[in-house]
Structures are given as C-alpha cells and as structure tokens.
Amino acid sequence: MSEASATDHDRVFTELRPLLFTVAYDILGSATDAEDVIHDCYLRWRAQDAGPIADPRAYLVTAVSRTGLNHLRTLRRRRETYVGNWLPEPIRTEPHRGTGDAADDVVLAESVSMAMLLVLETLSPVERTVFVLHEVFDYPHDEIAAIVDRSPATVRQIAHRARGHISARRPRAAARRPGNHDDRDRQEHELVVRFLHASRTGDLGELLSVLASDVVHMSDGGGQVTAARHALYGADRVAAFSIGLARSAMSGAHAELARFNEAPAAVFRVDDVVDSVAVFDCRDDHIVGVYAIRNPDKLHRIDDLHRLDRGRTSPWKP
C-alpha cells in the first residue's frame, strides 16, 4: 500500500472509530475487548489493498461485528466461571454536546447503560449481535444475515425472539427520556451527592429518600478484591449496606463525581489509587440501581474518554 493510500485509510478509520467502538462495546460489554477487536480490524483494514472500497462504513462495521461476535463466544465461556457478580467494564462518557453521541441520542444512551448491558448478557452471542445491529444501529435484516452467517428469514426470527426477551427483562432504569441535558445531569448528580453524603454520615432517613423502594446494588470484584458476591435488592438492605461500607472499607476513600456509561458516577480513590467506580441508574428523582466495579482489570482505562456514535451523522452511512 502506498503512503498516500495508507494515510487515506487512517483518515477514514479515524472518522469511523467512535461508531466502531460503540458497536464493539455494545456487543462485548468490555472496553478492553472492544479495543482489541478494533485494533485487529484496523490492522486488517490497513493491510488490505484490494482497491477502493465503495462503502468503508459498511465494510468496517461488518468486520468489527464479525470479530466481536467470535470474541464474545470466547468471553462467554470465561464468564461462566466468573467469581461473584459480573458487571460491564465502565466507560467514561463525558458529554460531547452536538456530536450525535449518547448525550443527544436516547437509544444510544440506553444501549450503553449498565442495566441494559446486563440484560444483553442474557442473550446468546448471535442474538445479542442481531439485536444490537438492528435495534441500536438500524441495520436491516438482510445485511445482518451476511454478518452472522444466517439466512434473512432466520435473522428475522432471531431478532423477534431477542426483542421479546429484552422487552420482558428491560429494567425501567434503562429507558431514558429526551429533555434538557444540563438539567437532567444536574438533578442526577445531586441525587448521587445526597446518596454519598448520607452514606458517610449514616443518615438512614436521607438514604431511604433518595433510593427507590426496589433499588438494586451489585458489586464486581472479579474474585481479586473484596465485593458482595450477590446482588442486594430493596431500599432498606441497600441503605444499610451503603452505610456499613462507608464506615469500614471505604472510610478513607475520596469520591470524584463523573459520568460513565452516560450516567452519573463516582470514582473512589484511596491514597490516589483507584479503588472502584460506582455507576448510578436514576429515574423519577430516585436511584434505582447502584453498580460498583472493583475488579482492577476493569479500572485501568477509566480516564479514557470515549466518544460514542450510532452512525447517524457519519458521511459514510449508506
């Protein structure tokens, strides 16, 4: 490949990279594995010299989807022996207003939410890939059929089955309503500040006022650090656990407010070392989900800011 061709390939790949990362992350639920998939596809994209490609977006999304699907099959076998709760690897998503990313796209914001990613884990690898490509990225069944190596009729059946499965399990916290982003962000972060302060001060009444009655709390230590092995359900249990945690294991931690997976979050550091990231699902002025990631393998990329894209504004969209 000539130097000019290589430069043009790099330019196209760079423009499409936010879309490719979003596809891979939605399929895999892991930023680290998504980056591995993208790197592998980039090397193949850079090496190919079969003349100009009419639709780079379709070509690269297909490559990332196929590679992601194969990778997911391997990951699923590993996750079957995972110690304790498995949670997605969190991604920092400070809003890029006006870019068409998750800050401005309700469908995309839902697709990367912790709650929705956990529901996607209940699908088979093929079901998940079909659901993500069709429901999130608007790919037609005929194109998906070529990606997953199934007939269009079979893909329609898979899509129908996956959609029904997701609809039955979609958590109410995952659905986001459009509105004033700044107001929504401020209200959600105020809820988190109240939760953190009440946990530290042991204010049970205040905690119960910010937690939904059916709130869920999940911790992921990956068997490497201490974490609750089972999910906690209900405001009373989550409030008591949060107060106890703040008084013991997290008593010396400093909390930094942030946004991860297009949701309010807190990064906890102990002696300037990241201990955990807690991502909060908020709805109707209450916290309905707390997802605490402590597995060190999922924390080494937390300062990387990810731009997400569903491809709606891409110049390469067919």
Side-chain angles (χ1 to χ4, degrees):
M1 181 183 295
S2 67
E3 183 176 345
S5 296
T7 300
D8 187 57
H9 269 53
D10 285 350
R11 177 184 62 80
V12 171
F13 196 90
T14 298
E15 290 180 3
L16 291 172
R17 199 180 193 286
L19 168 63
L20 301 178
F21 175 83
T22 309
V23 171
Y25 182 72
D26 273 4
I27 290 175
L28 296 166
S30 165
T32 299
D33 292 302
E35 293 288 0
D36 288 344
V37 165
I38 290 174
H39 182 66
D40 180 64
C41 290
Y42 168 74
L43 293 178
R44 283 187 278 138
W45 164 254
R46 193 99 190 282
Q48 70 86 26
D49 193 16
I53 295 174
D55 191 344
R57 176 184 182 273
Y59 178 92
L60 286 168
V61 169
T62 296
V64 166
S65 300
R66 286 176 175 167
T67 305
L69 173 57
N70 291 332
H71 201 60
L72 181 59
R73 291 184 173 118
T74 301
L75 291 177
R76 281 297 172 83
R77 290 191 289 270
R78 296 177 190 169
R79 290 174 188 174
E80 288 175 358
T81 59
Y82 198 83
V83 178
N85 300 305
W86 180 91
L87 289 174
E89 181 180 351
I91 54 172
R92 188 181 289 264
T93 56
E94 299 293 350
H96 296 261
R97 303 305 186 197
T99 63
D101 69 355
D104 306 295
D105 188 330
V106 174
V107 172
L108 183 52
E110 177 183 11
S111 77
V112 300
S113 70
M114 283 281 162
M116 178 55 73
L117 289 169
L118 284 172
V119 175
L120 289 175
E121 278 293 304
T122 64
L123 298 177
S124 73
V126 171
E127 287 175 335
R128 179 170 184 163
T129 302
V130 169
F131 181 87
V132 165
L133 290 176
H134 185 64
E135 298 295 329
V136 180
F137 297 95
D138 299 321
Y139 264 65
H141 294 130
D142 289 356
E143 292 184 29
I144 298 173
I147 293 174
V148 300
D149 195 24
R150 300 288 196 280
S151 70
T154 299
V155 166
R156 289 187 182 90
Q157 293 175 353
I158 293 172
H160 178 75
R161 184 169 63 246
R163 188 163 50 249
H165 184 94
I166 294 297
S167 296
R169 293 164 176 79
R170 174 181 267 118
R172 67 188 181 96
R176 304 296 298 275
R177 298 175 182 173
N180 186 298
H181 298 300
D182 292 333
D183 287 346
R184 185 202 69 196
D185 293 353
R186 183 173 58 255
Q187 291 168 0
E188 291 181 344
H189 277 93
E190 286 176 356
L191 276 177
V192 173
V193 169
R194 290 171 60 192
F195 171 87
L196 295 175
H197 180 72
S199 297
R200 287 190 178 277
T201 59
D203 190 338
L204 181 60
E206 174 68 354
L207 268 180
L208 293 176
S209 73
V210 300
L211 295 174
S213 60
D214 58 349
V215 62
V216 58
H217 184 291
M218 296 180 69
S219 303
D220 178 352
Q224 300 188 54
V225 295
T226 303
R229 292 289 187 92
H230 303 287
L232 300 174
Y233 296 93
D236 290 339
R237 294 187 66 193
V238 173
F241 177 81
S242 300
I243 291 174
L245 189 65
R247 289 175 173 174
S248 55
M250 303 300 290
S251 60
H254 170 73
E256 163 202 330
L257 295 180
R259 287 193 77 80
F260 280 79
N261 294 72
E262 190 49 26
V267 178
F268 294 93
R269 302 179 192 267
V270 179
D271 296 329
D272 294 327
V273 176
V274 176
D275 174 90
S276 57
V277 172
V279 183
F280 297 82
D281 271 344
C282 302
R283 177 84 176 229
D284 299 330
D285 299 323
H286 288 87
I287 295 171
V288 299
V290 183
Y291 303 97
I293 299 92
R294 298 200 67 212
N295 184 344
D297 293 340
K298 298 181 180 182
L299 299 177
H300 62 280
R301 290 178 178 268
I302 66 163
D303 290 324
D304 294 348
L305 184 60
H306 292 279
R307 178 187 167 193
L308 303 175
D309 186 10
R310 201 154 59 99
R312 297 181 307 161
T313 59
S314 170
W316 305 108
K317 187 169 184 178

